[in-house]
Amino acid sequence: EKYNPDKSLFRVRIVGGEESTADAIDIPKQCSSVNSQDCFVMLMDGLAYLWMGKFSTDTERAISFKVAGKIAGDALAVIKMLEGENEVDQFWDVLGGKGDYSATRPLENGTIGTD
């Protein structure tokens, strides 16, 4: 997906844990858009800020790092943050300040899976 400078927060979505299925979904820049189960990338000042929810998997984090590098154009331009640990204030400032967000990911089709 082509980067849109007006909307620079992306939720990384991975289907089945396969890198080939990863994509970045453009979402609103607000604190309530993030959740603890997913990884998010924000492009700002030439850097990709990768925020990894504490309930995201190691596989999701590794793939999200690669996606963030592609968005930034260079893996060296990725700043990794783990929820509740090494968060950067600028990330939250762009989202309107750190506030409430969900611990779980949003439903994709408005239905709950039964698997």
Side-chain angles (χ1 to χ4, degrees):
E1 179 174 315
K2 187 175 179 184
Y3 171 68
N4 178 346
D6 295 325
K7 297 180 181 176
S8 58
L9 180 65
F10 301 93
R11 179 171 66 97
V12 179
R13 183 175 62 182
I14 304 161
V15 179
E18 296 293 326
E19 184 176 349
S20 63
T21 68
D23 62 0
I25 310 298
D26 210 345
I27 60 174
K29 288 189 296 186
Q30 55 195 35
C31 182
S32 61
S33 293
V34 303
N35 69 75
S36 298
Q37 287 186 318
D38 287 317
C39 297
F40 299 84
V41 179
M42 179 186 298
L43 189 59
M44 181 171 49
D45 298 328
L47 299 172
Y49 291 81
L50 171 59
W51 187 87
M52 301 172 289
K54 61 185 173 186
F55 301 126
S56 61
T57 67
D58 289 341
T59 300
E60 289 171 328
R61 293 173 188 179
I63 293 171
S64 295
F65 178 76
K66 291 179 181 180
V67 171
K70 288 179 183 177
I71 290 172
D74 186 344
L76 296 175
V78 178
I79 297 174
K80 294 179 6 179
M81 302 175 285
L82 184 60
E83 179 182 356
E85 292 186 14
N86 57 336
E87 297 176 323
V88 177
D89 290 339
Q90 294 93 321
F91 177 82
W92 293 112
D93 291 346
V94 171
L95 300 181
K98 188 170 183 179
D100 294 332
Y101 54 86
S102 179
T104 59
R105 67 179 43 104
L107 300 175
E108 293 294 331
N109 297 320
T111 59
I112 297 174
T114 57
D115 297 348

